[in-house]
Amino acid sequence: MWPLTVLPLLLLLLCSGLAGQTLFQSPEEGWQLYTSAQAPDGKCICTAVIPAQSTCSRDGRSRELRQLMEKVQNVSQSMEVLELRTYRDLQYVRSMETLMRSLDARLRAADGSLSAKSFQELKDRMTELLPLSSVLEQYKADTRTIVRLREEVRNLSGSLAAIQEEMGAYGYEDLQQRVMALEARLHACAQKLGCGKLTGVSNPITIRAMGSRFGSWMTDTMAPSADSRVWYMDGYYKGRRVLEFRTLGDFIKGQNFIQHLLPQPWAGTGHVVYNGSLFYNKYQSNVVVKYHFRSRSVLVQRSLPGAGYNNTFPYSWGGFSDMDFMVDESGLWAVYTTNQNAGNIVVSRLDPHTLEVMRSWDTGYPKRSAGEAFMICGVLYVTNSHLAGAKVYFAYFTNTSSYEYTDVPFHNQYSHISMLDYNPRERALYTWNNGHQVLYNVTLFHVISTAGDP
């Protein structure tokens, strides 16, 4: 079982007023959403921090129900104490019953005359009966407690009846429709949670150690969840052999794979599998090739205008990494550099069918200073090194054409990353690290405005 298989989102709503259990400080407005696939069972977890003025802490009906629950708990505890005490006293009374019958028989047999010895025996027996008076007094007090509890239950029943009457305005079918509507809203919310700002990268999860120091491995970002095929490409230049493993388990064991022999060799490690096709840079050119696995043929190839190649503008580690292809929630991207952009990273959105450039952005960040890069939700994230001590250092937002410097720790376990790619289906980073195939989970942050919410 793949530890990072993303299951349906688990939405944790943490209300700021719930007994100090808040994990994050409540914002003044808007919901703060943290999503991550870091649960031990592999589930994708979303934590939503509700605004301080949320109705969760102010709803009168919620407070009333909470108070009723506290009263019910108090009544339950009182009944438990009463039951325990009554049982104990009943055992005592039963033991005294035998003693009283013995005394009665002795008195009847005495027939008006008692010896000194018999009188003393009766006196001792009467002494044993003295505690019975306090038990009877306790019975009187318990009777009053029962009356009080009965009144308490009557009051609780009245309050619950009022709430039931208020909720009873909805029949079963109406309530079912309301539940279905809420489920639809939750699904829509889950769709919104798909994107956000990167705030954390998990510790690395090593899947396998296989191949040379440089290479790439990936799954299809557009495939259904049942399709867990893994593609493996060893080396960074002049390679043509692509291994396709049936499942991740097969990849780990090195079994059940087929081989694809590309008609044209690749350059670099920035390949990506998208909707059944491999996108890669043709060796010693700035040509993008789209190779379809099922038909084992090239569907289209196109030159990327002005893009450097053949180690002209690689990442800091070299390796013919001039052109890097990526897929995120919004589609297919190419990251490269041109002479016109003076060696700065260019991000281009590509049409996956024709490979035409739809739009480009000049990030202003020198590509030779970047260790690796990946796209999440239209944002390009750049690491400052491919060696140990690397961190996610720079972010460029294509939706606003703006950038910021970041400081997201990134544990480079094997000290030399030659491939780093984001998979939106699993919300995970795939890396090739010094001959090791490694995964990282990511944590995303998003604010959804509550303005206009019903």
Side-chain angles (χ1 to χ4, degrees):
M1 176 67 72
W2 193 354
L4 288 177
T5 299
V6 175
L7 300 178
L9 290 177
L10 174 63
L11 183 61
L12 306 177
L13 299 179
L14 307 177
C15 197
S16 59
L18 296 183
Q21 298 299 314
T22 313
L23 297 182
F24 305 95
Q25 184 177 0
S26 294
E28 293 300 323
E29 58 183 15
W31 289 32
Q32 292 187 355
L33 305 172
Y34 296 81
T35 62
S36 177
Q38 297 185 28
D41 57 1
K43 289 184 179 179
C44 182
I45 298 178
C46 169
T47 301
V49 185
I50 300 175
Q53 299 302 318
S54 169
T55 56
C56 180
S57 61
R58 296 184 298 162
D59 182 68
R61 184 60 65 196
S62 298
R63 287 199 303 271
E64 185 175 352
L65 283 173
R66 189 162 54 249
Q67 291 169 358
L68 286 176
M69 289 296 294
E70 292 174 357
K71 289 182 180 179
V72 170
Q73 185 177 9
N74 291 336
V75 170
S76 176
Q77 291 174 349
S78 299
M79 294 293 288
E80 289 178 3
V81 172
L82 183 62
E83 180 183 11
L84 179 63
R85 190 167 61 229
T86 302
Y87 175 80
R88 181 197 62 200
D89 291 345
L90 181 61
Q91 295 299 109
Y92 176 74
V93 169
R94 283 177 176 173
S95 66
M96 291 299 101
E97 182 180 8
T98 302
L99 179 59
M100 292 179 70
R101 286 178 178 175
S102 174
L103 283 173
D104 182 67
R106 292 287 299 275
L107 288 172
R108 292 178 184 277
D111 196 23
S113 60
L114 286 172
S115 64
K117 181 179 178 181
S118 298
F119 180 80
Q120 185 60 42
E121 289 178 354
L122 287 174
K123 185 177 179 182
D124 293 340
R125 294 295 178 119
M126 291 296 293
T127 302
E128 293 179 23
L129 288 174
L130 288 178
L132 187 59
S133 61
S134 61
V135 172
L136 294 176
E137 287 297 325
Q138 185 64 58
Y139 271 142
K140 293 179 183 179
D142 289 344
T143 301
R144 291 191 293 269
T145 301
I146 291 174
V147 172
R148 180 178 60 80
L149 292 176
R150 183 185 300 166
E151 184 65 25
E152 192 76 23
V153 170
R154 185 182 295 113
N155 293 336
L156 289 173
S157 299
S159 299
L160 290 173
I163 294 176
Q164 184 179 18
E165 182 179 356
E166 179 179 331
M167 297 181 64
Y170 302 100
Y172 174 77
E173 293 184 359
D174 292 333
L175 287 175
Q176 189 177 33
Q177 292 297 323
R178 286 163 62 84
V179 169
M180 292 177 63
L182 287 174
E183 287 179 347
R185 291 183 62 189
L186 178 60
H187 180 74
C189 181
Q191 295 300 315
K192 292 182 181 179
L193 300 184
C195 272
K197 181 180 178 181
L198 180 70
T199 59
V201 177
S202 75
N203 286 326
I205 303 170
T206 301
I207 302 300
R208 188 178 182 187
M210 176 183 180
S212 64
R213 190 179 190 186
F214 312 97
S216 61
W217 71 293
M218 65 218 79
T219 60
D220 191 338
T221 59
M222 286 289 287
S225 58
D227 185 351
S228 59
R229 288 176 295 171
V230 175
W231 285 270
Y232 170 90
M233 302 168 68
D234 190 13
Y236 65 86
Y237 77 105
K238 296 174 66 174
R240 295 176 58 199
R241 192 172 72 121
V242 181
L243 301 185
E244 176 186 312
F245 292 85
R246 187 176 60 183
T247 66
L248 182 72
D250 290 331
F251 173 67
I252 294 173
K253 297 175 183 177
Q255 63 185 22
N256 295 326
F257 65 87
I258 60 176
Q259 177 177 286
H260 299 270
L261 193 63
L262 301 178
Q264 299 156 333
W266 73 69
T269 59
H271 330 300
V272 69
V273 175
Y274 180 56
N275 200 21
S277 294
L278 172 70
F279 296 80
Y280 70 95
N281 175 209
K282 179 182 175 182
Y283 179 60
Q284 289 189 330
S285 74
N286 61 2
V287 172
V288 185
V289 179
K290 179 182 180 180
Y291 174 84
H292 189 241
F293 284 116
R294 187 161 58 181
S295 64
R296 294 178 178 265
S297 63
V298 173
L299 297 184
V300 63
Q301 56 183 335
R302 182 182 294 274
S303 176
L304 200 57
Y309 62 94
N310 206 29
N311 265 342
T312 304
F313 298 113
Y315 288 123
S316 60
W317 63 275
F320 297 89
S321 56
D322 302 78
M323 298 169 63
D324 194 359
F325 303 103
M326 309 172 182
V327 171
D328 70 354
E329 292 78 0
S330 54
L332 178 65
W333 302 83
V335 171
Y336 57 99
T337 296
T338 67
N339 285 318
Q340 182 180 357
N341 294 94
N344 293 329
I345 292 177
V346 175
V347 180
S348 290
R349 186 76 189 279
L350 301 184
D351 184 320
H353 304 291
T354 65
L355 299 182
E356 292 180 345
V357 174
M358 301 166 63
R359 185 179 173 184
S360 296
W361 293 261
D362 183 350
T363 66
Y365 193 92
K367 192 165 186 288
R368 286 183 174 275
S369 298
E372 271 286 347
F374 55 92
M375 294 287 296
I376 299 180
C377 302
V379 180
L380 177 72
Y381 293 97
V382 180
T383 65
N384 63 342
S385 174
H386 62 282
L387 302 174
K391 62 182 178 180
V392 181
Y393 180 72
F394 178 85
Y396 185 87
F397 304 89
T398 59
N399 62 334
T400 59
S401 299
S402 61
Y403 69 90
E404 69 178 21
Y405 289 95
T406 61
D407 188 12
V408 180
F410 186 82
H411 181 42
N412 187 346
Q413 184 173 6
Y414 303 107
S415 303
H416 195 289
I417 293 176
S418 60
M419 170 258 179
L420 177 60
D421 232 346
Y422 171 70
N423 188 310
R425 187 180 72 166
E426 282 99 27
R427 187 163 290 172
L429 295 175
Y430 284 63
T431 67
W432 188 293
N433 195 336
N434 214 356
H436 297 78
Q437 292 73 48
V438 181
L439 290 173
Y440 294 84
N441 293 316
V442 297
T443 299
L444 305 181
F445 167 82
H446 194 55
V447 175
I448 295 179
S449 174
T450 55
D453 278 358

